[in-house]
Amino acid sequence: MKQQNIAFYNLENLFDLHDDPYTLDDDFTPKSERRWNRKRYEKKLKKLGSVIAKIGVDELGEPPSIVGIAEVENKTVIRDLVGSKHLRKYGYRYVHFDAPDERGIDTALLYRDSHFEVLDSKTVAVYVNNLDGQRDYTRDILYVKGLLEGAPVHLMVNHWPSRREGAELTEYKRVKAAQTCLEVVESVRAEDQEADIVIMGDFNDNPDSASIKENLVPAAFYNPMERLHTRKRGSSKYRDSWYLFDQILVSESLRTKDKFGLRFESADIFDPIYLREYSGRFKGNPFRTYVGKKHLGGFSDHFPVYASFSIHKF
């Protein structure tokens, strides 16, 4: 029996140095107030790579086979990330499509091609309007079908609409994103009712939010992150409150104990002390790259999350 990890990590604005005239990326250029330059970019790549290379290593002895990522600008930054100091030796490849998000940030999937074979991939648009009736060009859902050590699995990487205008006012957007996920699930199950499906992402909602608990979970999904969210623990923090927006859900088929193939074992937040602010008012929070326009030089404003799976050969 082998074990493999699947992780998800919001990378907090991994932009290149160039101004894209078609997106709102002006804050991440050398001439912006944030002074996003080559040195800062390469430092962030190195730091993010060092984190990914350590997720789940204490349990399995090697980094994740699959990593969903969010807040990446384009293929250039993904290619630079997988080629960075701490990751290049693991042979990560990636699946990425440009999405219509107005800031130009996308989701992507990293995978070690010695462990995972991609069979199919596509993006699925989330059609939702703002309160003024205009379309909100939010991130697409990335769907990837593949074989993890020979076991078939369907993966969805998400980054749902934010709460910037208020959690309640924008809840309908995330419910719509959840319903879009379920449309993908239905199409997969139409071909294989017992398909193994993993839905991961930054949902901008907690495990007990309606989008998750009243939409995804009732559709035969198990959310192992629910027990991890407490007053003292989460994947991001805002105004002294912990949130667990970053989650990995698994289809109930992955919990069947007498099955061959992929089987869910456990999930956790990867939040070691070195990923945290070490002093001051925000001690213990995720050590982020920026606070406003101030460069801190940290990793990300989110902790990664990961799930472990055993593989039982046919």
Side-chain angles (χ1 to χ4, degrees), residues 259-306:
K259 66 175 288 190
F260 291 106
L262 206 60
R263 186 185 302 170
F264 170 77
E265 298 293 341
S266 63
D268 208 350
I269 305 166
F270 188 67
D271 55 357
I273 193 167
Y274 64 83
L275 289 186
R276 301 170 177 268
E277 294 261 14
Y278 51 85
S279 63
R281 176 185 171 189
F282 301 108
K283 182 178 180 180
N285 288 13
F287 183 25
R288 58 193 300 172
T289 307
Y290 280 93
V291 172
K293 296 179 176 66
K294 183 179 179 181
H295 182 255
L296 301 182
F299 303 85
S300 171
D301 55 353
H302 290 245
F303 294 136
V305 294
Y306 66 105

mmCIF file of all heavy atoms in Angstrom, residues 259-306:
data_model
loop_
_atom_site.group_PDB
_atom_site.id
_atom_site.type_symbol
_atom_site.label_atom_id
_atom_site.label_comp_id
_atom_site.label_asym_id
_atom_site.label_seq_id
_atom_site.Cartn_x
_atom_site.Cartn_y
_atom_site.Cartn_z
ATOM 1 N N LYS A 259 -12.502 -0.948 -0.834
ATOM 2 C CA LYS A 259 -12.335 -0.714 -2.261
ATOM 3 C C LYS A 259 -10.867 -0.812 -2.678
ATOM 4 O O LYS A 259 -9.958 -0.645 -1.866
ATOM 5 C CB LYS A 259 -12.864 0.672 -2.638
ATOM 6 C CG LYS A 259 -12.058 1.816 -2.017
ATOM 7 C CD LYS A 259 -12.537 3.173 -2.501
ATOM 8 C CE LYS A 259 -12.144 3.385 -3.941
ATOM 9 N NZ LYS A 259 -12.371 4.766 -4.391
ATOM 10 N N PHE A 260 -10.671 -1.052 -3.963
ATOM 11 C CA PHE A 260 -9.348 -0.933 -4.541
ATOM 12 C C PHE A 260 -9.189 0.483 -5.095
ATOM 13 O O PHE A 260 -10.161 1.197 -5.291
ATOM 14 C CB PHE A 260 -9.156 -1.966 -5.661
ATOM 15 C CG PHE A 260 -9.090 -3.378 -5.155
ATOM 16 C CD1 PHE A 260 -10.152 -4.250 -5.340
ATOM 17 C CD2 PHE A 260 -7.960 -3.827 -4.502
ATOM 18 C CE1 PHE A 260 -10.095 -5.554 -4.879
ATOM 19 C CE2 PHE A 260 -7.885 -5.135 -4.031
ATOM 20 C CZ PHE A 260 -8.962 -5.996 -4.216
ATOM 21 N N GLY A 261 -7.953 0.878 -5.352
ATOM 22 C CA GLY A 261 -7.701 2.206 -5.883
ATOM 23 C C GLY A 261 -7.414 3.210 -4.793
ATOM 24 O O GLY A 261 -6.746 2.910 -3.793
ATOM 25 N N LEU A 262 -7.932 4.432 -4.951
ATOM 26 C CA LEU A 262 -7.637 5.545 -4.053
ATOM 27 C C LEU A 262 -8.567 5.534 -2.852
ATOM 28 O O LEU A 262 -9.771 5.300 -2.996
ATOM 29 C CB LEU A 262 -7.794 6.847 -4.840
ATOM 30 C CG LEU A 262 -7.017 8.078 -4.392
ATOM 31 C CD1 LEU A 262 -5.516 7.826 -4.428
ATOM 32 C CD2 LEU A 262 -7.378 9.259 -5.299
ATOM 33 N N ARG A 263 -8.002 5.808 -1.666
ATOM 34 C CA ARG A 263 -8.806 5.827 -0.439
ATOM 35 C C ARG A 263 -8.349 6.973 0.464
ATOM 36 O O ARG A 263 -7.162 7.119 0.747
ATOM 37 C CB ARG A 263 -8.654 4.500 0.298
ATOM 38 C CG ARG A 263 -9.573 4.368 1.508
ATOM 39 C CD ARG A 263 -9.285 3.079 2.254
ATOM 40 N NE ARG A 263 -9.449 1.896 1.421
ATOM 41 C CZ ARG A 263 -9.077 0.671 1.794
ATOM 42 N NH1 ARG A 263 -8.500 0.492 2.974
ATOM 43 N NH2 ARG A 263 -9.263 -0.354 0.985
ATOM 44 N N PHE A 264 -9.290 7.819 0.873
ATOM 45 C CA PHE A 264 -8.970 8.944 1.749
ATOM 46 C C PHE A 264 -8.574 8.454 3.134
ATOM 47 O O PHE A 264 -9.204 7.563 3.690
ATOM 48 C CB PHE A 264 -10.171 9.886 1.863
ATOM 49 C CG PHE A 264 -10.012 10.933 2.929
ATOM 50 C CD1 PHE A 264 -9.204 12.033 2.720
ATOM 51 C CD2 PHE A 264 -10.648 10.793 4.155
ATOM 52 C CE1 PHE A 264 -9.034 12.991 3.714
ATOM 53 C CE2 PHE A 264 -10.492 11.739 5.150
ATOM 54 C CZ PHE A 264 -9.685 12.847 4.930
ATOM 55 N N GLU A 265 -7.522 9.079 3.698
ATOM 56 C CA GLU A 265 -7.060 8.719 5.040
ATOM 57 C C GLU A 265 -7.192 9.859 6.048
ATOM 58 O O GLU A 265 -7.739 9.676 7.121
ATOM 59 C CB GLU A 265 -5.598 8.255 4.980
ATOM 60 C CG GLU A 265 -5.368 7.006 4.130
ATOM 61 C CD GLU A 265 -6.006 5.762 4.729
ATOM 62 O OE1 GLU A 265 -6.313 5.757 5.933
ATOM 63 O OE2 GLU A 265 -6.190 4.775 3.975
ATOM 64 N N SER A 266 -6.690 11.057 5.717
ATOM 65 C CA SER A 266 -6.704 12.150 6.701
ATOM 66 C C SER A 266 -6.471 13.480 5.998
ATOM 67 O O SER A 266 -6.084 13.517 4.819
ATOM 68 C CB SER A 266 -5.618 11.930 7.756
ATOM 69 O OG SER A 266 -4.327 11.957 7.152
ATOM 70 N N ALA A 267 -6.696 14.579 6.728
ATOM 71 C CA ALA A 267 -6.448 15.914 6.186
ATOM 72 C C ALA A 267 -5.938 16.812 7.298
ATOM 73 O O ALA A 267 -6.182 16.562 8.483
ATOM 74 C CB ALA A 267 -7.723 16.487 5.572
ATOM 75 N N ASP A 268 -5.220 17.862 6.912
ATOM 76 C CA ASP A 268 -4.668 18.764 7.916
ATOM 77 C C ASP A 268 -4.333 20.113 7.281
ATOM 78 O O ASP A 268 -4.299 20.261 6.054
ATOM 79 C CB ASP A 268 -3.408 18.163 8.549
ATOM 80 C CG ASP A 268 -3.171 18.655 9.974
ATOM 81 O OD1 ASP A 268 -3.861 19.600 10.403
ATOM 82 O OD2 ASP A 268 -2.307 18.084 10.654
ATOM 83 N N ILE A 269 -4.079 21.088 8.146
ATOM 84 C CA ILE A 269 -3.563 22.399 7.752
ATOM 85 C C ILE A 269 -2.059 22.355 7.934
ATOM 86 O O ILE A 269 -1.580 21.893 8.983
ATOM 87 C CB ILE A 269 -4.163 23.512 8.632
ATOM 88 C CG1 ILE A 269 -5.691 23.470 8.603
ATOM 89 C CG2 ILE A 269 -3.641 24.883 8.187
ATOM 90 C CD1 ILE A 269 -6.342 24.306 9.706
ATOM 91 N N PHE A 270 -1.310 22.803 6.959
ATOM 92 C CA PHE A 270 0.152 22.858 7.091
ATOM 93 C C PHE A 270 0.514 24.235 7.634
ATOM 94 O O PHE A 270 0.599 25.206 6.893
ATOM 95 C CB PHE A 270 0.823 22.596 5.744
ATOM 96 C CG PHE A 270 2.323 22.448 5.850
ATOM 97 C CD1 PHE A 270 2.875 21.359 6.506
ATOM 98 C CD2 PHE A 270 3.169 23.393 5.299
ATOM 99 C CE1 PHE A 270 4.255 21.220 6.611
ATOM 100 C CE2 PHE A 270 4.545 23.264 5.394
ATOM 101 C CZ PHE A 270 5.089 22.176 6.050
ATOM 102 N N ASP A 271 0.710 24.316 8.951
ATOM 103 C CA ASP A 271 0.906 25.612 9.613
ATOM 104 C C ASP A 271 2.055 25.599 10.629
ATOM 105 O O ASP A 271 1.879 26.023 11.769
ATOM 106 C CB ASP A 271 -0.386 26.052 10.299
ATOM 107 C CG ASP A 271 -0.935 25.009 11.272
ATOM 108 O OD1 ASP A 271 -0.345 23.910 11.379
ATOM 109 O OD2 ASP A 271 -1.957 25.291 11.932
ATOM 110 N N PRO A 272 3.243 25.128 10.229
ATOM 111 C CA PRO A 272 4.377 25.145 11.155
ATOM 112 C C PRO A 272 4.746 26.576 11.563
ATOM 113 O O PRO A 272 4.377 27.549 10.886
ATOM 114 C CB PRO A 272 5.500 24.499 10.344
ATOM 115 C CG PRO A 272 5.130 24.748 8.923
ATOM 116 C CD PRO A 272 3.633 24.671 8.883
ATOM 117 N N ILE A 273 5.492 26.694 12.616
ATOM 118 C CA ILE A 273 5.784 28.003 13.198
ATOM 119 C C ILE A 273 6.537 28.911 12.240
ATOM 120 O O ILE A 273 6.364 30.136 12.260
ATOM 121 C CB ILE A 273 6.547 27.833 14.535
ATOM 122 C CG1 ILE A 273 6.561 29.154 15.300
ATOM 123 C CG2 ILE A 273 7.949 27.276 14.290
ATOM 124 C CD1 ILE A 273 7.008 29.016 16.732
ATOM 125 N N TYR A 274 7.361 28.359 11.352
ATOM 126 C CA TYR A 274 8.139 29.224 10.468
ATOM 127 C C TYR A 274 7.296 29.878 9.371
ATOM 128 O O TYR A 274 7.762 30.781 8.674
ATOM 129 C CB TYR A 274 9.318 28.461 9.851
ATOM 130 C CG TYR A 274 8.960 27.320 8.944
ATOM 131 C CD1 TYR A 274 8.631 27.527 7.608
ATOM 132 C CD2 TYR A 274 8.970 26.007 9.421
ATOM 133 C CE1 TYR A 274 8.303 26.474 6.782
ATOM 134 C CE2 TYR A 274 8.646 24.945 8.584
ATOM 135 C CZ TYR A 274 8.313 25.190 7.277
ATOM 136 O OH TYR A 274 7.991 24.141 6.461
ATOM 137 N N LEU A 275 6.041 29.452 9.205
ATOM 138 C CA LEU A 275 5.147 30.107 8.263
ATOM 139 C C LEU A 275 4.350 31.238 8.916
ATOM 140 O O LEU A 275 3.496 31.849 8.271
ATOM 141 C CB LEU A 275 4.162 29.105 7.660
ATOM 142 C CG LEU A 275 4.704 28.075 6.680
ATOM 143 C CD1 LEU A 275 3.566 27.272 6.072
ATOM 144 C CD2 LEU A 275 5.503 28.749 5.576
ATOM 145 N N ARG A 276 4.660 31.523 10.174
ATOM 146 C CA ARG A 276 3.888 32.497 10.945
ATOM 147 C C ARG A 276 4.683 33.764 11.233
ATOM 148 O O ARG A 276 5.911 33.750 11.260
ATOM 149 C CB ARG A 276 3.442 31.878 12.278
ATOM 150 C CG ARG A 276 2.586 30.632 12.134
ATOM 151 C CD ARG A 276 2.401 29.959 13.480
ATOM 152 N NE ARG A 276 1.523 28.788 13.384
ATOM 153 C CZ ARG A 276 0.206 28.811 13.578
ATOM 154 N NH1 ARG A 276 -0.378 29.968 13.893
ATOM 155 N NH2 ARG A 276 -0.514 27.715 13.481
ATOM 156 N N GLU A 277 3.941 34.852 11.463
ATOM 157 C CA GLU A 277 4.574 36.064 11.986
ATOM 158 C C GLU A 277 5.180 35.723 13.347
ATOM 159 O O GLU A 277 4.532 35.081 14.177
ATOM 160 C CB GLU A 277 3.539 37.169 12.160
ATOM 161 C CG GLU A 277 2.939 37.658 10.865
ATOM 162 C CD GLU A 277 3.593 38.942 10.380
ATOM 163 O OE1 GLU A 277 4.667 39.295 10.897
ATOM 164 O OE2 GLU A 277 3.028 39.564 9.477
ATOM 165 N N TYR A 278 6.422 36.105 13.564
ATOM 166 C CA TYR A 278 7.099 35.675 14.784
ATOM 167 C C TYR A 278 7.072 36.697 15.911
ATOM 168 O O TYR A 278 7.531 36.403 17.026
ATOM 169 C CB TYR A 278 8.546 35.298 14.465
ATOM 170 C CG TYR A 278 9.322 36.341 13.695
ATOM 171 C CD1 TYR A 278 9.956 37.397 14.336
ATOM 172 C CD2 TYR A 278 9.421 36.258 12.315
ATOM 173 C CE1 TYR A 278 10.648 38.348 13.620
ATOM 174 C CE2 TYR A 278 10.122 37.204 11.588
ATOM 175 C CZ TYR A 278 10.729 38.251 12.247
ATOM 176 O OH TYR A 278 11.414 39.198 11.527
ATOM 177 N N SER A 279 6.551 37.912 15.693
ATOM 178 C CA SER A 279 6.504 38.911 16.759
ATOM 179 C C SER A 279 5.476 39.978 16.400
ATOM 180 O O SER A 279 4.931 39.996 15.292
ATOM 181 C CB SER A 279 7.881 39.559 16.952
ATOM 182 O OG SER A 279 8.275 40.251 15.784
ATOM 183 N N GLY A 280 5.231 40.852 17.350
ATOM 184 C CA GLY A 280 4.364 41.991 17.105
ATOM 185 C C GLY A 280 2.886 41.684 17.217
ATOM 186 O O GLY A 280 2.472 40.619 17.662
ATOM 187 N N ARG A 281 2.098 42.648 16.762
ATOM 188 C CA ARG A 281 0.645 42.571 16.880
ATOM 189 C C ARG A 281 0.058 41.344 16.186
ATOM 190 O O ARG A 281 -0.939 40.784 16.622
ATOM 191 C CB ARG A 281 0.036 43.846 16.311
ATOM 192 C CG ARG A 281 -1.468 43.865 16.269
ATOM 193 C CD ARG A 281 -1.977 45.119 15.583
ATOM 194 N NE ARG A 281 -3.405 45.063 15.346
ATOM 195 C CZ ARG A 281 -4.088 45.936 14.607
ATOM 196 N NH1 ARG A 281 -3.434 46.928 14.040
ATOM 197 N NH2 ARG A 281 -5.392 45.807 14.441
ATOM 198 N N PHE A 282 0.667 40.941 15.079
ATOM 199 C CA PHE A 282 0.112 39.843 14.282
ATOM 200 C C PHE A 282 0.857 38.527 14.494
ATOM 201 O O PHE A 282 0.823 37.644 13.641
ATOM 202 C CB PHE A 282 0.127 40.225 12.801
ATOM 203 C CG PHE A 282 -0.669 41.460 12.496
ATOM 204 C CD1 PHE A 282 -0.025 42.650 12.173
ATOM 205 C CD2 PHE A 282 -2.051 41.457 12.571
ATOM 206 C CE1 PHE A 282 -0.753 43.799 11.902
ATOM 207 C CE2 PHE A 282 -2.786 42.597 12.310
ATOM 208 C CZ PHE A 282 -2.138 43.772 11.979
ATOM 209 N N LYS A 283 1.511 38.412 15.631
ATOM 210 C CA LYS A 283 2.249 37.188 15.941
ATOM 211 C C LYS A 283 1.331 35.965 15.812
ATOM 212 O O LYS A 283 0.227 35.936 16.339
ATOM 213 C CB LYS A 283 2.819 37.267 17.358
ATOM 214 C CG LYS A 283 3.645 36.056 17.760
ATOM 215 C CD LYS A 283 4.211 36.220 19.162
ATOM 216 C CE LYS A 283 5.040 34.999 19.549
ATOM 217 N NZ LYS A 283 5.600 35.139 20.927
ATOM 218 N N GLY A 284 1.810 34.953 15.103
ATOM 219 C CA GLY A 284 1.042 33.725 14.914
ATOM 220 C C GLY A 284 0.233 33.692 13.639
ATOM 221 O O GLY A 284 -0.205 32.625 13.204
ATOM 222 N N ASN A 285 0.017 34.856 13.010
ATOM 223 C CA ASN A 285 -0.707 34.908 11.735
ATOM 224 C C ASN A 285 0.168 34.374 10.607
ATOM 225 O O ASN A 285 1.394 34.334 10.727
ATOM 226 C CB ASN A 285 -1.088 36.351 11.403
ATOM 227 C CG ASN A 285 -2.202 36.889 12.284
ATOM 228 O OD1 ASN A 285 -2.545 36.290 13.295
ATOM 229 N ND2 ASN A 285 -2.750 38.027 11.914
ATOM 230 N N PRO A 286 -0.426 34.004 9.480
ATOM 231 C CA PRO A 286 0.394 33.645 8.322
ATOM 232 C C PRO A 286 1.347 34.789 7.964
ATOM 233 O O PRO A 286 0.930 35.948 7.911
ATOM 234 C CB PRO A 286 -0.641 33.410 7.212
ATOM 235 C CG PRO A 286 -1.878 33.003 7.941
ATOM 236 C CD PRO A 286 -1.874 33.799 9.204
ATOM 237 N N PHE A 287 2.613 34.460 7.750
ATOM 238 C CA PHE A 287 3.636 35.450 7.416
ATOM 239 C C PHE A 287 3.515 35.765 5.931
ATOM 240 O O PHE A 287 3.954 35.011 5.083
ATOM 241 C CB PHE A 287 5.020 34.892 7.769
ATOM 242 C CG PHE A 287 6.159 35.845 7.530
ATOM 243 C CD1 PHE A 287 5.963 37.219 7.532
ATOM 244 C CD2 PHE A 287 7.434 35.357 7.321
ATOM 245 C CE1 PHE A 287 7.012 38.096 7.324
ATOM 246 C CE2 PHE A 287 8.502 36.221 7.112
ATOM 247 C CZ PHE A 287 8.290 37.594 7.108
ATOM 248 N N ARG A 288 2.907 36.892 5.633
ATOM 249 C CA ARG A 288 2.513 37.215 4.272
ATOM 250 C C ARG A 288 3.568 38.038 3.544
ATOM 251 O O ARG A 288 4.518 38.530 4.145
ATOM 252 C CB ARG A 288 1.174 37.942 4.288
ATOM 253 C CG ARG A 288 1.162 39.211 5.107
ATOM 254 C CD ARG A 288 -0.251 39.707 5.351
ATOM 255 N NE ARG A 288 -0.917 39.997 4.080
ATOM 256 C CZ ARG A 288 -2.214 40.291 3.994
ATOM 257 N NH1 ARG A 288 -2.972 40.320 5.085
ATOM 258 N NH2 ARG A 288 -2.758 40.553 2.832
ATOM 259 N N THR A 289 3.366 38.197 2.241
ATOM 260 C CA THR A 289 4.308 38.966 1.429
ATOM 261 C C THR A 289 4.116 40.460 1.615
ATOM 262 O O THR A 289 5.090 41.209 1.741
ATOM 263 C CB THR A 289 4.140 38.620 -0.064
ATOM 264 O OG1 THR A 289 4.218 37.201 -0.226
ATOM 265 C CG2 THR A 289 5.240 39.267 -0.894
ATOM 266 N N TYR A 290 2.876 40.906 1.620
ATOM 267 C CA TYR A 290 2.558 42.327 1.786
ATOM 268 C C TYR A 290 1.461 42.507 2.828
ATOM 269 O O TYR A 290 0.575 41.659 2.968
ATOM 270 C CB TYR A 290 2.045 42.930 0.472
ATOM 271 C CG TYR A 290 3.111 43.290 -0.534
ATOM 272 C CD1 TYR A 290 3.491 42.380 -1.515
ATOM 273 C CD2 TYR A 290 3.716 44.549 -0.522
ATOM 274 C CE1 TYR A 290 4.456 42.710 -2.457
ATOM 275 C CE2 TYR A 290 4.681 44.889 -1.461
ATOM 276 C CZ TYR A 290 5.049 43.968 -2.427
ATOM 277 O OH TYR A 290 6.009 44.300 -3.353
ATOM 278 N N VAL A 291 1.518 43.644 3.529
ATOM 279 C CA VAL A 291 0.367 44.178 4.255
ATOM 280 C C VAL A 291 0.091 45.526 3.618
ATOM 281 O O VAL A 291 0.876 46.461 3.777
ATOM 282 C CB VAL A 291 0.628 44.328 5.757
ATOM 283 C CG1 VAL A 291 -0.535 45.058 6.416
ATOM 284 C CG2 VAL A 291 0.817 42.971 6.409
ATOM 285 N N GLY A 292 -0.989 45.613 2.865
ATOM 286 C CA GLY A 292 -1.220 46.820 2.093
ATOM 287 C C GLY A 292 -0.084 47.000 1.092
ATOM 288 O O GLY A 292 0.237 46.107 0.320
ATOM 289 N N LYS A 293 0.563 48.160 1.167
ATOM 290 C CA LYS A 293 1.682 48.437 0.264
ATOM 291 C C LYS A 293 3.034 48.132 0.907
ATOM 292 O O LYS A 293 4.077 48.285 0.270
ATOM 293 C CB LYS A 293 1.637 49.896 -0.183
ATOM 294 C CG LYS A 293 0.405 50.243 -1.019
ATOM 295 C CD LYS A 293 0.402 51.704 -1.417
ATOM 296 C CE LYS A 293 -0.785 52.006 -2.330
ATOM 297 N NZ LYS A 293 -2.066 51.849 -1.645
ATOM 298 N N LYS A 294 3.016 47.693 2.155
ATOM 299 C CA LYS A 294 4.265 47.407 2.869
ATOM 300 C C LYS A 294 4.738 45.981 2.580
ATOM 301 O O LYS A 294 3.999 45.022 2.772
ATOM 302 C CB LYS A 294 4.073 47.582 4.369
ATOM 303 C CG LYS A 294 5.350 47.363 5.174
ATOM 304 C CD LYS A 294 5.117 47.560 6.660
ATOM 305 C CE LYS A 294 6.407 47.311 7.455
ATOM 306 N NZ LYS A 294 6.186 47.477 8.917
ATOM 307 N N HIS A 295 5.972 45.864 2.125
ATOM 308 C CA HIS A 295 6.538 44.558 1.798
ATOM 309 C C HIS A 295 7.125 43.921 3.050
ATOM 310 O O HIS A 295 8.047 44.458 3.669
ATOM 311 C CB HIS A 295 7.630 44.709 0.731
ATOM 312 C CG HIS A 295 8.224 43.413 0.297
ATOM 313 N ND1 HIS A 295 9.469 42.990 0.690
ATOM 314 C CD2 HIS A 295 7.723 42.425 -0.512
ATOM 315 C CE1 HIS A 295 9.726 41.811 0.153
ATOM 316 N NE2 HIS A 295 8.688 41.447 -0.576
ATOM 317 N N LEU A 296 6.580 42.764 3.434
ATOM 318 C CA LEU A 296 7.094 42.031 4.589
ATOM 319 C C LEU A 296 8.081 40.949 4.169
ATOM 320 O O LEU A 296 8.911 40.523 4.966
ATOM 321 C CB LEU A 296 5.942 41.388 5.371
ATOM 322 C CG LEU A 296 4.863 42.323 5.934
ATOM 323 C CD1 LEU A 296 3.839 41.517 6.717
ATOM 324 C CD2 LEU A 296 5.469 43.402 6.812
ATOM 325 N N GLY A 297 7.925 40.451 2.941
ATOM 326 C CA GLY A 297 8.841 39.424 2.459
ATOM 327 C C GLY A 297 8.529 38.027 2.939
ATOM 328 O O GLY A 297 9.407 37.162 2.946
ATOM 329 N N GLY A 298 7.280 37.795 3.345
ATOM 330 C CA GLY A 298 6.904 36.478 3.828
ATOM 331 C C GLY A 298 6.477 35.539 2.719
ATOM 332 O O GLY A 298 6.824 35.723 1.551
ATOM 333 N N PHE A 299 5.700 34.534 3.096
ATOM 334 C CA PHE A 299 5.304 33.471 2.180
ATOM 335 C C PHE A 299 3.966 33.792 1.503
ATOM 336 O O PHE A 299 3.903 34.037 0.309
ATOM 337 C CB PHE A 299 5.186 32.148 2.940
ATOM 338 C CG PHE A 299 6.436 31.726 3.653
ATOM 339 C CD1 PHE A 299 6.729 32.193 4.934
ATOM 340 C CD2 PHE A 299 7.333 30.862 3.058
ATOM 341 C CE1 PHE A 299 7.886 31.788 5.594
ATOM 342 C CE2 PHE A 299 8.490 30.451 3.705
ATOM 343 C CZ PHE A 299 8.766 30.925 4.983
ATOM 344 N N SER A 300 2.897 33.750 2.284
ATOM 345 C CA SER A 300 1.550 33.965 1.778
ATOM 346 C C SER A 300 0.654 34.329 2.956
ATOM 347 O O SER A 300 0.975 34.032 4.109
ATOM 348 C CB SER A 300 1.025 32.691 1.102
ATOM 349 O OG SER A 300 -0.352 32.806 0.788
ATOM 350 N N ASP A 301 -0.491 34.937 2.645
ATOM 351 C CA ASP A 301 -1.459 35.237 3.702
ATOM 352 C C ASP A 301 -2.375 34.052 3.980
ATOM 353 O O ASP A 301 -3.345 34.177 4.729
ATOM 354 C CB ASP A 301 -2.272 36.487 3.365
ATOM 355 C CG ASP A 301 -2.968 36.406 2.013
ATOM 356 O OD1 ASP A 301 -2.722 35.435 1.272
ATOM 357 O OD2 ASP A 301 -3.747 37.319 1.695
ATOM 358 N N HIS A 302 -2.074 32.904 3.387
ATOM 359 C CA HIS A 302 -2.802 31.661 3.642
ATOM 360 C C HIS A 302 -1.803 30.558 4.000
ATOM 361 O O HIS A 302 -0.689 30.540 3.476
ATOM 362 C CB HIS A 302 -3.563 31.195 2.395
ATOM 363 C CG HIS A 302 -4.732 32.050 2.033
ATOM 364 N ND1 HIS A 302 -6.035 31.606 2.070
ATOM 365 C CD2 HIS A 302 -4.793 33.342 1.616
ATOM 366 C CE1 HIS A 302 -6.847 32.572 1.687
ATOM 367 N NE2 HIS A 302 -6.107 33.639 1.398
ATOM 368 N N PHE A 303 -2.244 29.643 4.849
ATOM 369 C CA PHE A 303 -1.512 28.395 5.044
ATOM 370 C C PHE A 303 -2.009 27.374 4.006
ATOM 371 O O PHE A 303 -3.184 27.394 3.633
ATOM 372 C CB PHE A 303 -1.766 27.800 6.431
ATOM 373 C CG PHE A 303 -1.239 28.616 7.575
ATOM 374 C CD1 PHE A 303 -2.012 28.829 8.712
ATOM 375 C CD2 PHE A 303 0.043 29.150 7.555
ATOM 376 C CE1 PHE A 303 -1.532 29.562 9.783
ATOM 377 C CE2 PHE A 303 0.546 29.886 8.620
ATOM 378 C CZ PHE A 303 -0.251 30.096 9.736
ATOM 379 N N PRO A 304 -1.154 26.459 3.573
ATOM 380 C CA PRO A 304 -1.631 25.371 2.712
ATOM 381 C C PRO A 304 -2.460 24.373 3.518
ATOM 382 O O PRO A 304 -2.360 24.300 4.752
ATOM 383 C CB PRO A 304 -0.339 24.708 2.223
ATOM 384 C CG PRO A 304 0.784 25.580 2.665
ATOM 385 C CD PRO A 304 0.292 26.387 3.814
ATOM 386 N N VAL A 305 -3.262 23.606 2.804
ATOM 387 C CA VAL A 305 -3.971 22.468 3.403
ATOM 388 C C VAL A 305 -3.642 21.240 2.559
ATOM 389 O O VAL A 305 -3.263 21.363 1.395
ATOM 390 C CB VAL A 305 -5.495 22.703 3.463
ATOM 391 C CG1 VAL A 305 -5.819 23.845 4.401
ATOM 392 C CG2 VAL A 305 -6.068 22.989 2.067
ATOM 393 N N TYR A 306 -3.778 20.069 3.155
ATOM 394 C CA TYR A 306 -3.465 18.858 2.400
ATOM 395 C C TYR A 306 -4.251 17.666 2.911
ATOM 396 O O TYR A 306 -4.730 17.654 4.052
ATOM 397 C CB TYR A 306 -1.961 18.557 2.431
ATOM 398 C CG TYR A 306 -1.384 18.196 3.780
ATOM 399 C CD1 TYR A 306 -1.051 16.875 4.083
ATOM 400 C CD2 TYR A 306 -1.154 19.163 4.757
ATOM 401 C CE1 TYR A 306 -0.503 16.536 5.310
ATOM 402 C CE2 TYR A 306 -0.606 18.834 5.989
ATOM 403 C CZ TYR A 306 -0.284 17.519 6.267
ATOM 404 O OH TYR A 306 0.249 17.185 7.490
#
